[in-house]
Amino acid sequence: MLLGSLVAAAALVGGLAWLSGHTSISSERSLMLYCAAGSQKAVEPAIKQYRQEYGVAVEVQYGGSGTLLSSLKASGAGDLYLGADQTYIQLAQSQGLLAEVLPLARMMPVIVVRRDNTSIATLEDLLKPGLRVAMGNPEAASIGRTVRQALEPSGQWEPLRRHVQDHGVFKPTVSDIANDVAIGAIDAGIVWDSTVGQYEQLKAVHVPILEAAVQEMSIAVLKSSRQPTAALTFMRYLGARDRGLKHFKAAGFSPVDGDAWAVRPVLKFFCGAVNLRAVDSVVKAFETREGVKIETLYNGCGMLTGTMQTMGPASANFPDVYMACDRYYLDNVRDWFQEDVDISDADIVIAVPKGNTSIKSLADLARPGVRLAVGQPEQCTIGALTRTLLQKEGMEEAVMKNVVVQAPSSAMLVPAVTTKSVDAAIAYRTDTIAEGGRIDLVRIDSPHAKAVQPLSISRSSANKHLARRFFNAITAARENFEAAGFNFRYKEKDAKPQAATAPKE
């Protein structure tokens, strides 16, 4: 009887899980979101759906982006901030308030009037005597700040500001402006194009100078969040093309090309073996904070690019992110990846057993009787770069005749030196650091004795935004790279817009 009850209970739980079709999300308490008022009609149904699917509540404070920013600074609490445009996101970042940022939609300012109004077609029409105009307060609302920035260079802001001051009103949110126009309290206003679509009685009047002021709406996790993993999960849900972004599109926004939704998405990372010591801890920390899985494959880059060429970019196993041992191998698969940045470089050195003073230069490797280990040029970057180095220095034939070991990675060359199976090996300095007590290094005086490690996101990735945040985590790991013996090259100005943010039809 008891067994029967347990089986029935298990079947019920399993059935409910099957019916819901979702993995559970852990959250100790509800999330707190500071949200630009103009996005309310998209965010509210998304929050409702999120709670229905996963049982996680999201409390929301709506308001003007500037007002919300002041509130969250004063409280020092909360989990997420949705700013109406990039200027407020950048302002919050400059004040050290934000961690991860995810774009959601694009929008532009337009003049808004009632559908039966045919008297307003230009910006100058807003200055007609007696016309009542509503504007967003530039100190509190994103729309007001954006319009001021768009009109000030042409000298059109000050006449409009005076007209609104004398014959209209400044409002704290874009919704307040639209409401006033809809009920006829005001003749016209300037709002986001996405706002107009939320009111049947309103229409938009597009003017070129405002159309050029396109803004991107984004959501960010606050550094003050005490449950960042839960906040990141909801952020991904809101920015998923098959979840939250559907509500943005229904509310009249132009959503970005978001990632596909998954409670615990999987990111595939192909990484040249030389980078393991620098990035492995970054991978683990990123998985924990984001609540995602990164399937990492460390190997010689000849093996990695060969695997890519065999499977092709349409394969579900094709990497989302690739960090090569050297630019040489990224260039071999260039067409399948977006623009890249150089993260670091590693010196190529001659490793000899501790106390060996007979080898002091590349030329000494050509002496009769020297036993040398090098990388296999078809399988790994150190092998390909060694071949290039010797060719450029005119020593390939003389040195290669002394090769007794060819290994598929730089790390596998080092044991041959520590066990004195060879007299020397050409390897990355980064792979010798752990054996500093048993190995001496000989510097190679050549501009070709260096490997440069680039990082890029694949064009075919279904998780470009998640990949971009992982990309950011690697570029922020300068200390890891330097501790592993790399020279850190990346500078923030090198960053390129790798995550696709173009509106999706």
Side-chain angles (χ1 to χ4, degrees):
M1 182 68 178
L2 176 61
L3 178 60
S5 299
L6 291 174
V7 171
L12 176 61
V13 171
L16 290 173
W18 179 83
L19 286 171
S20 66
H22 303 294
T23 304
S24 64
I25 292 176
S26 174
S27 181
E28 295 180 358
R29 55 183 180 177
S30 61
L31 293 163
M32 172 63 197
L33 166 65
Y34 297 90
C35 186
S39 65
Q40 185 171 355
K41 292 199 174 181
V43 172
E44 274 193 351
I47 288 175
K48 182 179 179 181
Q49 183 181 355
Y50 189 64
R51 184 163 190 169
Q52 289 173 341
E53 290 187 51
Y54 301 108
V56 179
V58 182
E59 298 176 5
V60 190
Q61 180 179 333
Y62 292 106
S65 295
T67 303
L68 293 173
L69 193 52
S70 299
S71 296
L72 71 90
K73 283 172 61 179
S75 70
D79 301 293
L80 297 139
Y81 172 59
L82 193 159
D85 71 62
Q86 279 303 104
T87 57
Y88 282 102
I89 293 292
Q90 290 166 357
L91 179 60
Q93 285 178 313
S94 71
Q95 296 174 355
L97 299 171
L98 306 184
E100 297 85 352
V101 178
L102 179 66
L104 297 171
R106 288 178 173 173
M107 52 197 183
M108 68 180 72
V110 295
I111 296 172
V112 61
V113 296
R114 290 183 60 85
R115 285 196 173 277
D116 56 358
N117 187 324
T118 58
S119 64
I120 296 175
T122 68
L123 196 65
E124 289 71 23
D125 288 339
L126 295 180
L127 304 179
K128 290 178 178 177
L131 192 78
R132 300 166 300 170
V133 178
M135 287 280 297
N137 180 351
E139 306 306 323
S142 173
I143 186 66
R145 185 187 179 103
T146 300
V147 172
R148 182 175 66 185
Q149 290 176 338
L151 300 183
E152 274 186 338
S154 62
Q156 292 172 284
W157 167 251
E158 186 56 26
L160 182 59
R161 185 197 67 78
R162 286 200 301 270
H163 184 89
V164 173
Q165 181 176 288
D166 296 340
H167 305 288
V169 61
F170 285 100
K171 289 287 188 176
T173 72
V174 70
S175 301
D176 292 331
I177 300 171
N179 288 335
D180 279 4
V181 177
I183 64 175
I186 286 292
D187 299 310
I190 297 180
V191 299
W192 301 117
D193 59 342
S194 55
T195 307
V196 179
Q198 299 169 16
Y199 294 81
E200 290 185 1
Q201 61 273 55
L202 300 181
K203 69 176 181 182
V205 178
H206 292 262
V207 294
I209 195 169
L210 294 180
E211 285 184 325
V214 174
Q215 291 287 348
E216 191 170 79
M217 175 180 286
S218 300
I219 186 171
V221 173
L222 298 176
K223 287 187 177 178
S224 61
S225 175
R226 298 172 66 180
Q227 42 185 349
T229 303
L232 280 160
T233 303
F234 176 71
M235 185 176 86
R236 290 201 309 272
Y237 184 92
L238 196 62
R241 58 175 178 262
D242 50 351
R243 288 296 193 277
L245 292 186
K246 293 175 70 174
H247 295 290
F248 277 86
K249 186 170 184 177
F253 290 87
S254 297
V256 302
D257 186 7
D259 291 349
W261 167 246
V263 173
R264 191 168 187 248
V266 177
L267 205 61
K268 293 180 172 58
F269 179 37
F270 277 21
C271 187
V274 69
N275 306 312
L276 186 151
R277 290 185 181 84
V279 306
D280 200 43
S281 61
V282 180
V283 170
K284 292 181 172 61
F286 186 84
E287 283 183 318
T288 300
R289 180 174 171 85
E290 283 264 359
V292 303
K293 174 67 177 174
I294 299 182
E295 293 182 350
T296 305
L297 179 58
Y298 296 108
N299 210 333
C301 280
M303 302 290 284
L304 293 177
T305 54
T307 301
M308 291 184 216
Q309 287 162 346
T310 299
M311 67 172 65
S315 168
N317 293 317
F318 195 82
D320 299 284
V321 182
Y322 176 41
M323 186 171 184
C325 297
D326 184 73
R327 178 160 293 285
Y328 171 87
Y329 276 105
L330 179 59
D331 289 344
N332 286 347
V333 289
R334 156 66 42 224
D335 291 344
W336 295 336
F337 286 86
Q338 302 179 42
E339 295 172 332
D340 58 88
V341 296
D342 292 335
I343 299 297
S344 58
D345 66 63
D347 296 325
I348 297 173
V349 297
I350 301 171
V352 298
K354 195 77 174 176
N356 185 328
T357 59
S358 63
I359 295 175
K360 299 179 179 177
S361 69
L362 207 57
D364 289 335
L365 299 180
R367 293 203 318 258
V370 170
R371 298 169 302 160
L372 177 64
V374 298
Q376 213 295 328
E378 307 306 325
Q379 296 182 347
C380 61
T381 307
I382 188 63
L385 293 181
T386 297
R387 181 170 59 188
T388 299
L389 167 67
L390 296 176
Q391 288 172 345
K392 294 291 184 182
E393 297 300 324
M395 303 183 67
E396 183 180 21
E397 184 176 353
V399 170
M400 289 303 291
K401 68 182 181 184
N402 284 337
V403 172
V404 295
V405 172
Q406 289 198 357
S409 74
S410 170
M412 297 179 72
L413 293 167
V414 177
V417 180
T418 58
T419 59
K420 299 185 179 179
S421 300
V422 298
D423 301 306
I426 299 178
Y428 296 125
R429 185 172 74 89
T430 54
D431 286 326
T432 68
I433 289 178
E435 298 291 350
R438 296 196 289 175
I439 283 180
D440 283 332
L441 301 181
V442 178
R443 180 177 177 275
I444 300 174
D445 187 16
S446 169
H448 306 290
K450 193 176 288 295
V452 177
Q453 293 80 48
L455 178 68
S456 189
I457 299 171
S458 75
R459 297 182 188 278
S460 59
S461 172
N463 295 296
K464 290 187 177 69
H465 295 283
L466 179 61
R468 180 63 178 175
R469 292 197 296 281
F470 178 57
F471 176 100
N472 291 340
I474 290 179
T475 61
R478 182 187 189 109
E479 291 184 359
N480 295 49
F481 280 88
E482 291 181 342
F486 291 86
N487 304 305
F488 197 71
R489 285 193 173 202
Y490 177 78
K491 296 178 181 177
E492 194 168 348
K493 63 180 179 58
D494 298 333
K496 298 178 177 67
Q498 295 199 5
T501 57
K504 185 177 179 63
E505 295 300 326

